[in-house]
Structure formats: C-alpha cells, structure tokens
Amino acid sequence: MKIAVIGQSLFGQEVYKELRKDGHTIVGVFTIPDKDGKADPLATEAEKDGVAVFKFPRWRVKGQAITEVVAQYEACGAELNVLPFCSQFIPMEVIDLPRHGSIIYHPSLLPRHRGASAINWTLIHGDKRGGFTVFWADDGLDTGPILLQRECDVERNDTVNTIYKRFLFPEGVRGTVDAVRLIADGKAPKIIQPLEGATYECIQKKDNAKIDWNQSAEDLHNWIRGNDKVPGAWAEVDGKKVTFYGSTLVDNGSAANGQPLEIPGGSRPGVVTKGGLVLFGNDGKALLVKNLQFEDGKMIAAAQYFSSEGSAAVELTDEENCFAEEMRAVWQSILTNVSHIEDSTDFFKSGAASMDVVRLVEEVKLRACGCQLQNEDVYMNCTFQDFIQMCVRKLRGEDEEEELVVDYVEKNTNNMTIKMPHQLFINGEFVDAEGGRTYKTINPTDGTAICDVSLAQISDVDKAVAAAKEAFEEGEWGKMNPRDRGRLIYKLADLMEEHQEELATIEAIDSGAVYTLALKTHVGMSIQTFRYFAGWCDKIQGSTIPINQARPNRNLTFTKKEPIGVCAIVIPWNYPLMMLAWKTAACLTAGNTVVLKPAQVTPLTALKFAELAARAGLPKGVVNILPGSGAVVGQRLSDHPDVRKLGFTGSTEIGKHIMRSCADSNVKKVSLELGGKSPLIIFSDCDMDKAVRMGMSSVFFNKGENCIAAGRLFVEETIHDQFLTKVVDEIKKIKIGDPLDRSTNHGPQNHKAHMDKLAVYCQTGIKEGATLICGGKQVQRPGFFFEPTVFTDVQDHMYIAIEESFGPVMILSKFKSGEVDEVLRRANATEYGLASGVFTQDISKALYVSEKLNAGTVFVNTYNKTDVASPFGGFKQSGFGKDLGQEALNEYLKTKAITIEY
C-alpha cells in the first residue's frame, strides 16, 4: 500500500522502518519541525531513505485546516494514514481522505484512559492490566472503532519508562505493523468502542502533579510512578519544591533506620536511609523513593538528601583535564544549538533528549573504559561541571558505595584473629532478622557457643528475593558484559584466596573440619571452583540449527542461552563453603542472582563469603545469605513465586518435599543432590596397599561426612581377612582431636544430633547381627567425637547395608571369587546412585564394572577424586542435575530458540 506516516519520535521511526520492510511504499512522512537545530528521528530516517519529509508547525488555524498544508498532503496520494505517535491535531480533511482512512496507536486499552497521558493514568489508577489499542481515527478524541488490542501485566513497581520499554514500545511497533497487514489483507475489523468503562483524563502537567499525602502508601506510590519521569510528582519539602522519582513499595518501612525528614501534610515524617527516602501513607504502610530533583534541575540520590551540599569539587589532574576537554567537544557535538559549552551549561535545558543521554554514556565508555555510567548518572549531573566531577570521581573510585558495615564477632584462635559476620546479608548489607531473632551456632570441638547468628524469618526471605529480583531485572548485573561479570568473579576468588586461612579456621570451628583438610579441600576447591567458572562467563553461547526452509523464503534458527533469574540455593552442613561454591559459582556465571540458605548449624563461612562478595564489587542484591531453618527459610524459597530455580543438596526425604513445593508454587526448575549408599568393590587382583589406603579414605574422609562416602565395601572373600586386618591397623594410627591441631586426622562430628544418630545406627547394626570390629561409640572427651568404626559380616537385608550413616562407619561384605555379575547386582540393589568405585588391576574388568555400576560417578583404582571441571551428580533417588563442569551451567540457564524467515 501507499502509506503516509504522520507523527514523530523513535516509536514513529521504528514503525516507519518496519512498514518499509513489509514492502509498503511510504509516500510521505509528516512530522514536527526541527527542535534546536535537530531533526526528529522519524524525519532523519526518512530523509536518509530519500522519502519526502514535511515538517509542518501546524495543520490548522482557529479550527480550520490550512489549505496549502492539506494540498501538499493530498499530492502524496496516500491510501492509508498511519499515526504511530502524533502530538499535532490533524484535520478531518486529512484523516478521511485516503481510501483506507487513518489508524492511530494509543497506549491504553480503549475505551479506558482516553487522552494524551494514557500510560500515566494506567499507573496512577493502579491498573493490573495495561496495553495498547490501534483504532480507526474519527472526529472524536480516541473514540474511533478498535482494530487491534494487545494486553500486558502491569507490575507493581512499573514506571512509565519500564512498561513502555518492556511492552508498549516493542509490542506497539509490532501491533501497528500487524494492523496495517490486516488492512492490506482486507481482514481489519472495526469494533465499536463500548460506553461502559470509558474514561478520559486530563494531560498530566507539572502544575497538576502535586502529591496529596492523605492517601494510602499504594496510592502514593501509584501517583509518583505514574508521573515518573514526566511531568514528575512533586511536593513542598523544607520550603522547596521537590520532585520524587523511582518509587517502590516496601515491606516493614516502619523499621527503617535513618534520619527523619518532615513531610508537610504527611501522616508521619519520612526517613532518609541508605537505600533512599522512606515515605508513609495514611495506612501506615511505606514506599521508597530513590531520587529527588530540585527546582534548579539538580537531581540527587534521595539517600544523599542531608549531604547533597557537602561534597567539595575535586581538582583535576592534567590527564583528567584532557578528558574534560574531550567531553566538552562531545557535548558540543550533541548540543549543536549551543555556541560554547560552559561549565554551567545544562545538558537538558540546552535541548538534549533521552537518545542524547544514551549517546553520551557510550561516548564516555569509548574515552574512559573504567568509567561505566548509567543513564541516571547523566540525569543527576546535568551541568557540564557536575558531569565532569561525577566522571572523575568514578574514574578515581571515589564514588564507590559507602563502606560495607560489618558487626564482626572476633576470636583469637589458630594464631590469628578471625572476624566473623553474624547477621543476614540482604541487598548488599548485613542486617538483623525480623524481630531481632537469633540462635547460637556451636563449636563441635567442645560444644560451646561460637556466637549468636541472626535467624531469618519469612519476611526476610521476601526482602532477599525482592532484592535479587531487582538486581537481576533492573540492576547493573543484568546489563553487565559477560567478561566484566567474569572479572568480578575472578576478583572474588582472589579475595577468598587472600582470606583462605581465616575461612579454613572458621570452617574448622563451625563444622569440625580438620584445618588442613579445610584449607586444601573446603576452601581450596571453593577457590578453584569460582576461578573455573569465571572463565566460562564469556563462553556461554547458543547454536545455529538447520531447519526445513519455507520456500521460496529461507529460515535461520538459532538458540540463545539466557540466565533464569532469581535462584535459591539450599546447602548442607558437611562442606559449608564448598557446597556454596559448587552451586553459586555456576549460578553467578550464568548471570543469575542468588538467595542462599546455609545449613542452620554451619552459617559462618557463608556469611564471610557474603562479605568478600561485597568487597569484590558484586552489585547489591546479587548475593543474599539467609541463615535459618529449613522449615521456614527453605520452605519459603521453595514456595516463592519470584524464585525460578532451586538448587538443593541434602537428604532424599527433604529433596522430595522440595520438589513438591516447587511444582505446586510455580513449577520452578530444580536440581537435587541427595542421599547415597555408594558401593566400593575390591577385587583380589587389586593393589592391596592402595586399596586399603583409598578404602579408608572412601569412608573416613572428612570424618565420614561426605556425600559420596563408600557406604558399603564389597571385598572378594579371598582377601577379605587381609584387607580387614590392614584397615584395623591403620585405624589405630588415626589421631582424633582438635581440628586446629595440624597433626589431627579426625575431628568432631558436625553437631550433637548427628553424633547421637551415629550411635543409634551402630547399635542397630549390632542388634541385626553384624560383627562390630572396632569403634561404634562416642569418644569420651568434650565435644562431638565419634570413633572410627568397622562392621563386617554385613548381610544385604540389614539396615546398615541399606541406609547411609553419613559418618565414620565402614560396612564390609564379602563376595565369592569370580561372581562379578552377582556382586554388581548387590551393589546396584539400592535406590541410590551417587557414586561408586572399583579396585582391580584387570583393565577389562574395570571397564566392565564401571559400565554396569548404576551411579553418576565411578572411581577406578581411586576414590574421592572430584575436580571442578568434571560433572558431579547422581542417579535414581540420589537426585538429578549436575554440579561442576560445563554441564553445571545448564542447571542455571534456559534455552531460547529463535526462528527468522527472510
């Protein structure tokens, strides 16, 4: 068709481009005159294509069409007028002239919100559904018949900008072009607008955007966001006209800590906090405002209200002066209507628009790669002098977030002073739990309390998830270049390495891990894990896929790997830091944000990790740590609708419960590493000394608190007695004692309840007729120490042959020589399938057995040999999904397929 495009803006430009791609002929573009020497984007695009462009300042005078203007329009011979966004009044002589008439895009679901401020009023009224309408123009105000409508959800913290970018702009462009297609195909409906539900609201201007404080918090929030950024909701504060931007609803605002600010007409004073200005409705509920603007145009972070006048100008170095002059030239190239850029030149008062902000941010990146600006930085530093000062402060690192405040518990131990955070970590801050709830974490070496730790409540989970969601959807983490993300994760690994002795000491006193093992494995492998995954950040990629062509056209199909969003991670107590690393490293590498619940009995290394993550520069909200109970914190994370993935390591029983909750809530993605009863088969042709050494390690490593521990050893009968004798001799050499003692081999069990369960487990084995060779009881000393234990003559039906002890208990069973398939049957006769092992010097036998063992990991002539590059996970009721290796990334990514026809 021959189409006239009447309108302006980037939206008009995109509609114009898509119509041309659809094969329509644009016979003329009718737009507004140049402003401050700059053409509208629609005009620029059309002129580039050689399309006739008309820039009429008006179409009519005193209600009458201007004859010359209408004549120029008529000469174009349009068959359809498309008005994607038009601020001018177009006379009916033009509207009705084309054969197909005129269609208009309107950003509301007509007949609701007729008028020029439709998006504003959608938000001001708190509508749960929004959208747009393409309608046939008539002589009324947005009253013509409906051609097409599309809807979207309005999120509770949407602004005009967010809903426009997310839906109204991209879908509006597509919808307008689809409407033209319907007209071209003769299928365009004309649905008369109903009278019911019709509303018309006035244009929102500054003078009618004043805030009435006598409303609920939700209504205040809707008013502020509905006027954000234009015209801007305002009120008198301290005798000054202040405009409010960036409103979000918050829970428990009454607990906000900060400096009070009197709000004339407000139900109570606001509170200036680290996060912004907390305001209150007449219902006692709260909202948070991020930014404030004064009458002179200066915008500040609301958190800086009382300190906005206090920062002195920095003196520039010669190099910084060169940068300032480069940027002065950039400003000059943008503000072509300004003869000279002075220090006092205001970017926006000189005619800059939103696209100019984007360009300025990109120009800074080109000239100073260390200066990463957000659009908001330009809005808040709009004079040239303020802009340069802001850039220089960023380049010097002086604009960093205020110093992380940590209320440490300090202890002098292991020849050092360890400093342990003990509060929840939410949105980049250490905070108390709701109601100040705490519990004591216990040192298993002597049973004494280490410190009080904040005990997270449901409201704390909700805050942490909200922070993670905002960081993912709105924060810099979600926009960050993958290599920059990798750089931060590398920095985090470096900081962990700098603090490795402190981390290992905390791990030893909180979990009972032997210090030397904690240093090498608990902490050492954690550092390796973050380094390994940091290298993957810029290597996550999709693929192109050949598909059947839609002849005579062609198709291109490709996939993208995208982060899932907010991920919950729930970890066990046996390797507190390492289990955190195995899951969190892959999660962050994929670009997600995380809310992690450490085991209630071992929270301290996770909280220290939170401190190091903040010091590494991970943005607020990316990592959140919530010590607490599984019944409260774990359950809420499973149920939470904004959590899209949950990774869990723990018991099979709890794993099943989590699966049900995740399914019932929002069918969130789940990965589970659950219980095990890993078989280790030792053949008579093994290297005996190595089999004894590795067999001991397979059971007693980390005092048996090891998910892949060999839960049952099958020893060929001809070597059984020799193997048993050597094992008992080696057990006598084990030194049980203080985990901080470098000569200790075997520390305390993690906590008293677990030690007590081990005693019951061993008593059950004795009652069922298994032979107790050694151990089986608590060591008579303070703390939670349990003797290394060996049972033999264990029959397949016995409880200790079926269930794992998760402790230092070796379960020995014989098998007859030559009965390879029979011992395999017995080894596989379990509902678990996490790990397994075989010792033999016959390579054919080793390969055959490893092929037949039904477990996620098979060790041959070794055991416990995990590596950050090798995938780890189980079969059957040991769970599904992988930690470590490239495969772990898939647990925290979603695959999107895109097909293009051309």
Side-chain angles (χ1 to χ4, degrees), residues 290-332:
K290 293 289 183 68
N291 300 313
L292 303 172
Q293 188 175 38
F294 301 101
E295 286 186 90
D296 63 0
K298 181 175 178 61
M299 185 180 283
I300 65 166
Q304 300 170 359
Y305 182 83
F306 289 113
S307 58
S308 59
E309 302 299 325
S311 55
V314 297
E315 187 174 340
L316 272 57
T317 65
D318 290 345
E319 185 179 353
E320 289 164 349
N321 273 314
C322 290
F323 168 74
E325 290 311 307
E326 285 185 42
M327 294 314 303
R328 196 184 300 273
V330 171
W331 276 51
Q332 190 72 71

Side-chain angles (χ1 to χ4, degrees), residues 202-221:
C202 62
I203 297 175
Q204 276 305 93
K205 297 180 179 179
K206 199 71 175 181
D207 58 1
N208 63 7
K210 186 175 181 180
I211 300 170
D212 174 10
W213 294 108
N214 189 28
Q215 302 181 77
S216 69
E218 185 171 0
D219 288 341
L220 288 172
H221 165 66

Side-chain angles (χ1 to χ4, degrees), residues 34 120 125 131 176 184 214 236 267 360 415 421 427 438 511 522 530 533 610 714 749 810 815:
D34 296 353
N120 305 75
H125 282 284
T176 304
N214 189 28
E236 297 278 348
S267 59
L360 185 56
N415 300 315
N427 202 27
T438 63
S511 76
H522 290 236
F530 277 101
F533 281 107
F714 295 92
Q749 304 309 134
M810 182 178 283
F815 70 93

Side-chain angles (χ1 to χ4, degrees), residues 10 38 161 165 229 299 327 330-331 333-335 346-366 371-383 387 390-391:
L10 287 169
K38 291 194 299 184
N161 192 41
K165 284 184 176 179
K229 292 207 167 4
M299 185 180 283
M327 294 314 303
V330 171
W331 276 51
S333 68
I334 295 173
L335 305 175
D346 187 293
F347 194 62
F348 298 103
K349 290 180 180 177
S350 300
S354 57
M355 276 304 296
D356 299 315
V357 173
V358 175
R359 177 185 164 185
L360 185 56
V361 168
E362 293 303 314
E363 293 277 10
V364 171
K365 284 182 186 176
L366 289 174
C371 189
Q372 299 288 325
L373 300 189
Q374 303 296 321
N375 292 359
E376 206 69 29
D377 293 322
V378 181
Y379 287 113
M380 295 175 68
N381 298 275
C382 47
T383 68
F387 176 79
M390 176 268 299
C391 289

